[in-house]
């Protein structure tokens, strides 16, 4: 059984072996003064939480605080017309994602979520 979530900016689907409750997808902007845009969290798309200006952003996908993918992307223009899709699936005991973007072309790819390093896990625990 496949789980899907959709709104006018995002389309997110999960293969049958992936628990969508454990997934979070976020964009952030800035280094010292960080603005966080939570796109998907708590098993739902966060409405009205999408950047509204051009700039450099960081995409972070986290699964159960065990697997992580991170990438820097550039919106050369206002991303108000952006449409992102994330299609998660599991093969060979690893979680993959096909990402598609209409504006940030560097995101159009297949990625794999990797195990979080032990030091990073400790840092994340201390932040919470």
């Amino acid at each position: 059984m496949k789980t899907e979530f959709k709104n006018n900016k995002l389309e997110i689907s999960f293969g049958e072996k992936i628990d969508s409750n454990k997934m979070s997808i976020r964009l952030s902007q800035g280094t010292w003064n960080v603005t966080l845009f939570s796109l998907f969290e708590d098993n739902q798309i966060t409405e009205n939480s999408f950047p509204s200006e051009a700039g450099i952003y960081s995409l972070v996908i986290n699964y159960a605080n065990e697997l992580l993918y991170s990438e820097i992307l550039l919106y050369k223009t206002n991303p108000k017309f952006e449409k992102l899709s994330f299609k998660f699936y599991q093969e060979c005991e690893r979680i993959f994602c096909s990402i598609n973007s209409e504006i940030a072309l560097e995101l159009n790819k297949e990625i794999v979520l990797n195990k979080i390093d032990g030091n990073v896990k400790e840092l994340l625990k201390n932040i919470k």
Side-chain angles (χ1 to χ4, degrees), residues 29-78:
Q29 182 184 34
T31 305
W32 298 108
N33 187 12
V34 176
T35 304
L36 185 64
F37 302 93
S38 178
L39 305 180
F40 184 83
E41 203 159 13
D42 298 326
N43 208 33
Q44 63 185 359
I45 291 176
T46 308
E47 297 293 329
N48 302 317
S49 180
F50 204 87
S52 60
E53 60 186 47
I56 298 172
Y57 293 86
S58 178
L59 169 70
V60 177
I61 301 171
N62 184 321
Y63 185 74
N65 291 326
E66 294 289 326
L67 302 174
L68 183 74
Y69 177 79
S70 178
E71 177 162 352
I72 294 175
L73 62 120
L74 172 66
Y75 280 120
K76 294 179 185 177
T77 61
N78 184 328

Side-chain angles (χ1 to χ4, degrees), residues 65-66 115-126:
N65 291 326
E66 294 289 326
K115 289 189 181 212
I116 297 176
D117 178 77
N119 293 333
V120 175
K121 274 188 190 179
E122 276 302 311
L123 179 64
L124 290 173
K125 284 181 188 176
N126 291 332

